[in-house]
Amino acid sequence: MNQTVDRKSPPPRLSVIVVFHDMAREAKRTLFALSEAFQTGVTADQYEVIAVENGLQKLDPAWVSDQGPNFQYHFHKTTSVSPSAAVNAGASLATGQYVALLVDGARIPSPGLVHDTLAAIRACHPCFVSTLAWHLGPDIQRESRKAGYDQTAEDNLLASIDWAKNGYDLFEIATQAPSSACGLLNGLPNECSWLAMPRARFNRLGGYDEAFQSPGGGLVNHDFFQRLCALPNLSPVQLLGEGTFHQIHSGAATGADDLAVVLANFQDEYLRVRGKSFSADVSLDPCYFGSIPLQARRFVHGYG
């Protein structure tokens, strides 16, 4: 079942594609945080949110649409455990000049993420816009889990701050994700949990490579980021003081009992698809855009 928006006004500048799989708990916070009620400095006519549920319908399409007139729901029917085709399906519905990808729907965006993405696009077009990522909890989540951190503990942690009114307080209860251990001012991460680019460039790359069929897509997100970085005439922009906050769930990597085995399988798939081993090196020097709130300053130089 799909819910679509009847638009009589010009299309928005930005289309946000967010993919969910069996995460109704996490989706409620993520979608609220993408709404005009949480995002600061923007109005609903400036961006659209396309929520794609991959293979398992747990969300109420009417509830998704109730988040705002710029929200729509799409159910992607599949037996695949990879989000690759779901990302491409969402992008095919996009009407914005730029598309932003939030492939893991368990990630809560910070309150200025949409505004600063749009501002960076205006200042630096054509460009791609990235942010760093954080894990909610006392440590990266595969370590927090060992100490008993679970969804109940996380619910209590989130309830201890008024994040819905001041989303930057999320930095106070989070740890930088391993992919973002570089810190705010030390170049691009190896993987981006929020990545915005011209829709024409997304289409030029053929979207996400659907040959990646591992749980969670394996290294498909890394693969797409590297292919995007290789495109000419596209300025890299990294936002300061904005990002995404991963909620704990049974994720392919963050929820793995034996991460080494999972990563080895991901590497094997990458070798089969690309014919070479994966290297995480991204050598582009980005333009830094925005400001760093007080709560995030401990992350300037890496793990804080």
Side-chain angles (χ1 to χ4, degrees):
M1 179 178 181
N2 301 333
Q3 298 288 326
T4 58
V5 178
D6 180 17
R7 294 192 181 277
K8 297 181 180 179
S9 57
R13 189 74 184 271
L14 180 67
S15 298
V16 179
I17 316 300
V18 54
V19 178
F20 302 98
H21 175 75
D22 195 18
M23 54 177 69
R25 164 190 173 269
E26 295 77 18
K28 290 180 179 179
R29 295 187 183 113
T30 297
L31 290 173
F32 166 73
L34 283 169
S35 73
E36 186 182 11
F38 184 80
Q39 289 294 312
T40 59
V42 291
T43 55
D45 62 333
Q46 293 177 284
Y47 69 106
E48 64 180 355
V49 178
I50 302 170
V52 183
E53 200 162 22
N54 190 40
L56 189 64
Q57 189 163 11
K58 293 290 187 73
L59 302 182
D60 180 355
W63 180 86
V64 175
S65 297
D66 285 345
Q67 299 309 299
N70 54 335
F71 278 69
Q72 60 176 289
Y73 174 88
H74 176 75
F75 176 64
H76 180 67
K77 186 176 181 180
T78 182
T79 58
S80 174
V81 293
S82 168
S84 302
V87 172
N88 294 338
S92 72
L93 301 172
T95 62
Q97 180 187 10
Y98 273 67
V99 292
L101 308 178
L102 189 56
V103 178
D104 183 350
R107 298 182 183 272
I108 301 173
S110 58
L113 185 53
V114 173
H115 172 273
D116 279 12
T117 298
L118 287 168
I121 289 169
R122 287 192 295 270
C124 304
H125 174 79
C127 64
F128 68 81
V129 182
S130 64
T131 64
L132 300 187
W134 281 259
H135 287 184
L136 292 173
D139 202 340
I140 58 175
Q141 286 174 351
R142 67 171 178 266
E143 297 301 325
S144 293
R145 282 164 52 93
K146 297 175 184 177
Y149 185 77
D150 57 14
Q151 291 181 329
T152 298
E154 186 168 87
D155 292 343
N156 293 334
L157 183 63
L158 285 163
S160 72
I161 63 170
D162 197 0
W163 70 272
K165 290 187 178 179
N166 188 356
Y168 292 111
D169 284 348
L170 290 166
F171 286 109
E172 300 279 11
I173 59 168
T175 301
Q176 276 185 295
S179 62
S180 297
C182 55
L184 295 174
L185 294 172
N186 292 301
L188 293 170
N190 295 324
E191 177 190 18
C192 294
S193 299
W194 172 274
L195 187 60
M197 74 226 69
R199 182 157 55 100
R201 300 296 182 99
F202 178 91
N203 292 335
R204 176 178 169 181
L205 289 172
Y208 271 40
D209 191 332
E210 296 179 20
F212 287 91
Q213 287 296 305
S214 291
L219 293 174
V220 69
N221 208 31
H222 301 70
D223 172 75
F224 181 82
F225 185 45
Q226 289 197 342
R227 291 191 290 125
L228 182 68
C229 287
L231 288 179
N233 305 317
L234 197 63
S235 300
V237 179
Q238 183 148 300
L239 299 184
L240 297 171
E242 304 295 339
T244 63
F245 298 86
H246 188 266
Q247 303 169 75
I248 195 165
H249 68 108
S250 56
T254 56
D257 293 325
D258 192 334
L259 183 63
V261 171
V262 171
L263 294 181
N265 290 336
F266 289 174
Q267 289 279 7
D268 288 346
E269 181 180 62
Y270 186 89
L271 180 61
R272 291 195 302 271
V273 174
R274 290 285 171 251
K276 62 181 181 180
S277 297
F278 174 74
S279 173
D281 180 49
V282 176
S283 58
L284 292 180
D285 187 20
C287 170
Y288 295 102
F289 190 94
S291 60
I292 305 174
L294 179 63
Q295 299 95 320
R297 290 178 189 173
R298 65 191 176 102
F299 298 109
V300 168
H301 299 296
Y303 279 126

